[in-house]
Amino acid sequence: MTGVTAVAAAERLLVALDFDGTVSPLVDEPMTARMTPAARGAVDALLTTPDTFVAFVSGRTLADLRVIAEHEDDSPILLAGSHGAEYWIPGSPSEGDVDAADIALRDRLRADAERLASGVSGAWIEPKAFGFGVHLRTVADADEAAALRSGVDAMMADAAPHWRRRQGHDIVEYAFTDAGKDAAVAHLREVVGATAVVFAGDDVTDEDALRSLEPQDLGIRVGAGETAASVRVRDIEQLAGLLSTLARERVAARQ
């Protein structure tokens, strides 16, 4: 993968960003997540540069992602929700097709997970379009968190072994789709005709996208952890600074 100066000169550039932990701090109440002022400024700067497209690629459902990203119908930002199972493309918003049997199973398993979580203080189940997430961030007792995780894993192994399991920051997600952020980035690349892609993320689920990047692209890891990214930044503010630099260099390169 290449560096900032090289991607700044790309003919058509896609900047795809995870949301939680990448442009917004991780919070105990997920629907209160919002971009930091610095991240918002960097995104706004990128949106004004020539032949540049910005996308949020998130595990959140599309509806929830639109809320936390404060995404209006006239926004130029592309969205990939549910790890790429749902999309919002400006001018032609689209949501994934869902089978009624999958929905019925989702609702039953989600209710079962809620019953398991009800006895664990601080744990809660997040409804998702294609499954559910088990949130453990506010569980004080590590043994209780581990027991709940094991209990839901056992339930899913018995009732829906074909579902995809993802481990994130203090959350375990289960989904009946196999969509991943690698496929989401590939789809968005094709939609906008990008000749280069910048992708930034902070979690294990972002590594699918980072590993899929091509030689002309730039992968950025926010924070610690093993990564396929070629660049690592300390935190959201440092990422915002890098993206702002990219916007300035792109303006200069396109003049």
Side-chain angles (χ1 to χ4, degrees), residues 71-97:
H71 185 272
E72 304 294 338
D73 287 353
D74 60 353
S75 173
I77 297 176
L78 296 86
L79 302 178
S82 300
H83 299 280
E86 303 175 287
Y87 292 94
W88 178 281
I89 308 299
S92 58
S94 165
E95 298 190 18
D97 294 329

Side-chain angles (χ1 to χ4, degrees), residues 35-80:
M35 279 188 279
T36 67
R40 184 182 299 278
V43 167
D44 288 345
L46 286 165
L47 289 170
T48 64
T49 61
D51 297 310
T52 305
F53 305 86
V54 176
F56 293 134
V57 181
S58 174
R60 301 270 198 143
T61 62
L62 184 61
D64 287 354
L65 179 58
R66 294 198 71 202
V67 172
I68 62 174
E70 300 174 281
H71 185 272
E72 304 294 338
D73 287 353
D74 60 353
S75 173
I77 297 176
L78 296 86
L79 302 178

Side-chain angles (χ1 to χ4, degrees), residues 152-231:
V152 178
D153 278 345
M155 178 190 80
M156 296 302 296
D158 179 61
H162 57 291
W163 279 35
R164 182 168 179 173
R165 181 189 189 276
R166 294 182 177 89
Q167 177 78 49
H169 289 310
D170 298 311
I171 182 175
V172 184
E173 299 180 43
Y174 307 88
F176 59 79
T177 66
D178 197 38
K181 292 186 179 181
D182 50 348
V185 169
H187 178 65
L188 294 171
R189 186 197 299 267
E190 181 179 359
V191 166
V192 303
T195 57
V197 172
V198 175
F199 180 83
D202 75 306
D203 207 348
V204 175
T205 57
D206 298 310
E207 291 299 318
D208 289 342
L210 289 166
R211 285 190 295 268
S212 76
L213 295 179
E214 300 176 3
Q216 74 275 19
D217 299 333
L218 176 64
I220 306 168
R221 172 77 180 213
V222 182
E226 293 186 11
T227 185
S230 56
V231 172

Side-chain angles (χ1 to χ4, degrees), residues 98-113:
V98 182
D99 184 85
D102 288 328
I103 292 297
L105 180 59
R106 178 203 68 184
D107 291 347
R108 178 171 66 81
L109 294 175
R110 183 189 295 165
D112 289 344

